[in-house]
Amino acid sequence: MDVRISLDAKNALLRGLPSIEQLLRRPSLEFRLANLPHARAVAALRLAVERVRARLLAGDLRPFEDADVEAALASLSTPNLRRVINATGVVLHTNLGRAPLAPEAVERVVAVARGYSNLEYDLDEGERGSRYAPLIGHLRTLTGAEDAIVVNNCAGAVLLVLAALASGRECIVSRGELVEIGGGFRIPDVMRQSGAKLVEVGTTNRTRRADYANALSPDTGLIVKVHRSNFALVGFTEEASLAELTELGRSRDVPVFQDLGSGALIPLSGPGLTPEPTVGQAIRDGADVVAFSGDKLLGGPQAGVIVGRADLLQRIKSHPLTRALRVDKMTVAALEATLELYRDGRADAVPTQSLLTQQPALLQSRAERLAALLAALGVEGRVVSVDGQVGGGAMPLSRLPSYACSLTVEAPKVFLERLREAEVPVIGRIADDEVVLDVRCLSEEDLGQVAQAVAAARSGSQP
């Protein structure tokens, strides 16, 4: 009987949902909607009705109220893509946009986005130019390569290199380097899409120079070495060095392509960081072509950078995929500004560099300031030592010593949800059934906002 009454009540509420026209004429909403563009008002009303309908169908029998319209209006006025505060301790958090840009890069993007630019216009000659011109000189200087080009991401760079240099031919790669690069995309799949024929050599844990040499044939287009930037092999392992492969390639007139992935331009040194090969070292070791990411250890915008021999880069630039994978003016602007910081010896001004190399004492002091702000708002936060991560598929063995505020709450998952509902969402994590807010990626301004968000979430969790 109770089930029947509940079903009848739900059906009655569903039938009673107001139409958009009725809501537009509702006196209690008239003033609220009057100052809005008609299209936005209609969109908010439709969203409100759809949300209530979904609520009723799920068994929540709260009727339609004006507050539902207010909630819908608030949703429409909030951008879907917006700034969040990263309290996870993962510096290059892929889900949170990876590398934050330097202020110089942001300013450059704003400058070119506001109006027109000489993206493909040579100001000296007064005719069409190359959109890559602002980047090539910097990349040559910083890596020692003869030429360069930039595409939309590193997977695109790998696809383009293979399509331009080895389509229809064999690419030799170690079985231990057939990585999955995230989102379910795998190096063998990218190779197949390029038209190259994958030739696997060695075993998962041991691949020698001789394995590559034995696989070389008149049909070999490339020797490919993939840097394992997002996982590590330990134990009974062996691999052929890049220098060994380039010596082999030159002896048989076969180019060597290094997919370096993480994109370190300079050696990184800091607590918990592990050694990472640089692009310049790959070029010095003889790699004919190197591809790497712009938004990982380099600390710039999302991009796939290709550097190497001038003759091979010319073939890559002339391939039809180059246009399909090209970058826009804002990427060019942000990457140029970031590269200039490296050129000028100011790598510490690149946020990724400074975030990764912070000293534990500095982080402990920051966590203590956050705890004090929380205490002033009536929230107890314990300062604890934690391990952060580089993230973004880089330095998988690195464990960054950091500090955090740990909160004991009744329902940690619900508490994290409430933190995400803040005006500037706060993204934390759970460890040992406590909410952990790592301070590594928090600015001084962030500390106050995090404290306010925690206090609001705590208040909302109380009866």
Side-chain angles (χ1 to χ4, degrees):
M1 187 67 172
D2 290 341
V3 173
R4 181 70 257 173
I5 292 174
S6 177
L7 183 60
D8 288 343
K10 179 167 72 173
N11 288 335
L13 288 169
L14 286 168
R15 288 193 300 270
L17 285 174
S19 69
I20 303 303
E21 287 301 320
Q22 288 173 330
L23 290 172
L24 286 170
R25 296 193 300 268
R26 181 177 285 190
S28 59
L29 294 174
E30 184 176 3
F31 179 78
R32 182 69 178 88
L33 301 177
N35 296 322
L36 295 176
H38 181 73
R40 181 184 293 186
V42 170
L45 295 175
R46 284 177 177 158
L47 177 61
V49 171
E50 288 305 312
R51 284 179 171 178
V52 175
R53 179 178 287 111
R55 190 168 76 203
L56 293 171
L57 290 173
D60 184 341
L61 300 187
R62 288 176 294 157
F64 187 98
E65 298 176 348
D66 289 357
D68 293 307
V69 176
E70 290 293 340
L73 285 169
S75 294
L76 291 182
S77 64
T78 303
N80 288 317
L81 180 61
R82 52 188 169 134
R83 186 176 88 86
V84 302
I85 295 175
N86 178 9
T88 66
V90 181
V91 176
L92 297 173
H93 200 306
T94 299
N95 302 136
L96 303 184
R98 286 194 184 159
L101 295 178
E104 292 85 348
V106 174
E107 292 169 6
R108 195 74 59 84
V109 169
V110 171
V112 301
R114 276 189 171 142
Y116 299 103
S117 66
N118 61 323
L119 179 65
E120 288 191 355
Y121 187 80
D122 189 320
L123 292 174
D124 292 329
E125 301 297 330
E127 58 187 31
R128 181 168 184 162
S130 168
R131 70 177 55 211
Y132 310 110
L135 306 173
I136 292 174
H138 294 320
L139 289 167
R140 290 173 60 188
T141 299
L142 292 167
T143 67
E146 295 177 354
D147 201 0
I149 189 173
V150 178
V151 294
N152 62 340
N153 63 18
C154 195
V158 172
L159 176 66
L160 177 58
V161 170
L162 296 175
L165 303 182
S167 181
R169 304 190 68 189
E170 295 176 351
C171 286
I172 303 175
V173 63
S174 167
R175 286 187 173 89
E177 296 173 1
L178 295 176
V179 303
E180 182 172 309
I181 55 179
F185 296 99
R186 298 173 175 177
I187 287 294
D189 298 332
V190 174
M191 284 189 166
R192 278 189 286 271
Q193 288 298 316
S194 73
K197 301 173 185 176
L198 174 63
V199 176
E200 302 176 23
V201 297
T203 63
T204 301
N205 60 321
R206 293 176 74 94
T207 306
R208 303 176 180 87
R209 178 188 185 280
D211 295 316
Y212 294 90
N214 292 336
L216 284 169
S217 76
D219 198 35
T220 302
L222 281 175
I223 296 174
V224 179
K225 186 165 183 59
V226 181
H227 175 49
R228 291 187 292 267
S229 60
N230 62 355
F231 78 104
L233 286 178
V234 296
F236 188 57
T237 64
E238 183 180 352
E239 66 176 292
S241 69
L242 178 59
E244 288 180 287
L245 295 182
T246 57
E247 185 275 330
L248 173 63
R250 288 200 175 102
S251 71
R252 301 287 290 271
D253 197 26
V254 176
V256 175
F257 167 44
Q258 164 97 79
D259 174 10
L260 200 52
S262 53
L265 286 183
I266 60 174
L268 272 168
S269 177
L273 293 174
T274 54
E276 185 75 5
T278 65
V279 181
Q281 186 61 54
I283 294 295
R284 289 191 293 275
D285 284 345
D288 298 290
V289 180
V290 180
F292 56 96
S293 294
D295 59 346
K296 293 186 180 180
L297 296 181
L298 191 154
Q302 177 182 297
V305 185
I306 307 170
V307 299
R309 277 171 39 190
D311 60 325
L312 298 180
L313 263 292
Q314 187 53 49
R315 288 169 59 184
I316 292 168
K317 290 178 180 181
S318 62
H319 192 279
L321 270 178
T322 297
R323 183 171 180 84
L325 298 172
R326 72 180 184 177
V327 292
D328 72 340
K329 61 186 179 183
M330 289 177 281
T331 300
V332 173
L335 186 54
E336 181 186 22
T338 304
L339 293 175
E340 287 173 359
L341 293 173
Y342 284 96
R343 177 203 63 188
D344 296 341
R346 298 181 56 216
D348 57 347
V350 177
T352 296
Q353 299 284 324
S354 59
L355 290 173
L356 288 174
T357 57
Q358 295 175 94
Q359 294 299 314
L362 175 67
L363 296 169
Q364 182 177 7
S365 175
R366 190 179 303 154
E368 289 170 351
R369 289 197 297 278
L370 177 57
L373 289 170
L374 289 171
L377 295 172
V379 179
E380 180 183 356
R382 294 186 300 108
V383 175
V384 296
S385 61
V386 293
D387 285 336
Q389 298 178 38
V390 176
M395 297 184 174
L397 294 180
S398 294
R399 290 294 176 267
L400 309 179
S402 186
Y403 283 85
C405 276
S406 185
L407 309 173
T408 302
V409 297
E410 187 173 331
K413 288 185 178 180
V414 174
F415 198 86
L416 285 184
E417 290 175 6
R418 292 199 171 104
L419 289 179
R420 296 196 301 269
E421 293 170 356
E423 183 177 356
V424 180
V426 176
I427 314 299
R429 60 186 176 88
I430 297 173
D432 298 326
D433 293 324
E434 293 196 339
V435 171
V436 175
L437 304 173
D438 192 311
V439 300
R440 176 173 291 273
C441 300
L442 303 186
S443 67
E444 289 301 318
E445 179 185 355
D446 290 338
L447 296 180
Q449 293 179 301
V450 170
Q452 292 291 338
V454 168
R458 172 76 77 174
S459 175
S461 67
Q462 295 174 349

